[in-house]
Amino acid sequence: GLTRSLRVEQPTRCDRLLLISLRQHDDPSNWDEVFTALHSRLASYEIHTGFSHCLEALHAGALSVKQQLKLFASPSPRVRLLIGAHGANLANMLWCLPPLDVVEVFALRSGPAFTNYFHMAKALAFEHWLVHSNAGTIPVDSLLATVNQAL
């Protein structure tokens, strides 16, 4: 399943990176592949920078509002990067402490893109990144490139 946690250990500092899933019919189908690729990339990042991240994948909707608030507002480990499909789970950025980068995965479809999470991130002085998914999957290389820019 998707709900799991891997920690790239370093005793001095650790920021939390959250990969959140809606677990709905329109959620991207390759979250597990994305999680594995992100974990590999973060291990390489730690080797080169000496800085570690705690990568967690979760379905925030399965948590109570109190649990979500505690998770997202925690100063230690602080949420540094929030990755999720376009949807209500991204509203949890309201509880996060700066600095925060939000990576929104948005399904390509006809019509204009929704910009509500872009505007929310900007109002909170957070960085917002957009990765387009197609045919129900996230382009892993594109997501990794975005995460590299964000970190």
Side-chain angles (χ1 to χ4, degrees):
L2 180 66
T3 304
R4 57 185 167 172
S5 178
L6 293 175
R7 175 173 252 154
V8 181
E9 293 291 341
Q10 175 151 345
T12 55
R13 302 186 321 187
C14 179
D15 278 346
R16 177 181 275 150
L17 289 95
L18 294 178
L19 176 66
I20 58 173
S21 167
L22 295 174
R23 284 300 188 206
Q24 293 178 345
H25 67 283
D26 59 349
D27 214 17
S29 62
N30 64 333
W31 278 121
D32 288 331
E33 177 187 358
V34 168
F35 185 88
T36 300
L38 280 169
H39 182 260
S40 295
R41 180 63 52 94
L42 292 173
S44 173
Y45 180 81
E46 180 187 9
I47 291 169
H48 295 300
T49 65
F51 192 84
S52 72
H53 296 285
C54 306
L55 178 63
E56 298 176 35
L58 64 111
H59 170 44
L63 303 174
S64 70
V65 173
K66 185 177 181 179
Q67 289 170 318
Q68 289 180 49
L69 180 59
K70 183 177 178 181
L71 174 72
F72 288 93
S74 174
S76 182
R78 177 182 60 83
V79 176
R80 171 64 185 84
L81 181 68
L82 185 60
I83 303 169
H86 175 86
N89 280 325
L90 288 178
N92 280 301
M93 76 174 84
L94 286 169
W95 317 123
C96 294
L97 302 171
L100 175 73
D101 284 86
V102 178
V103 178
E104 179 180 359
V105 178
F106 192 83
L108 290 175
R109 61 183 85 154
S110 60
F114 296 102
T115 59
N116 46 339
Y117 296 111
F118 166 80
H119 291 292
M120 184 185 293
K122 292 303 175 191
L124 295 167
F126 298 154
E127 291 295 324
H128 179 271
W129 306 83
L130 189 63
V131 174
H132 291 283
S133 65
N134 196 4
T137 60
I138 300 169
V140 176
D141 290 340
S142 178
L143 181 67
L144 291 176
T146 301
V147 168
N148 279 343
Q149 289 180 319
L151 293 177

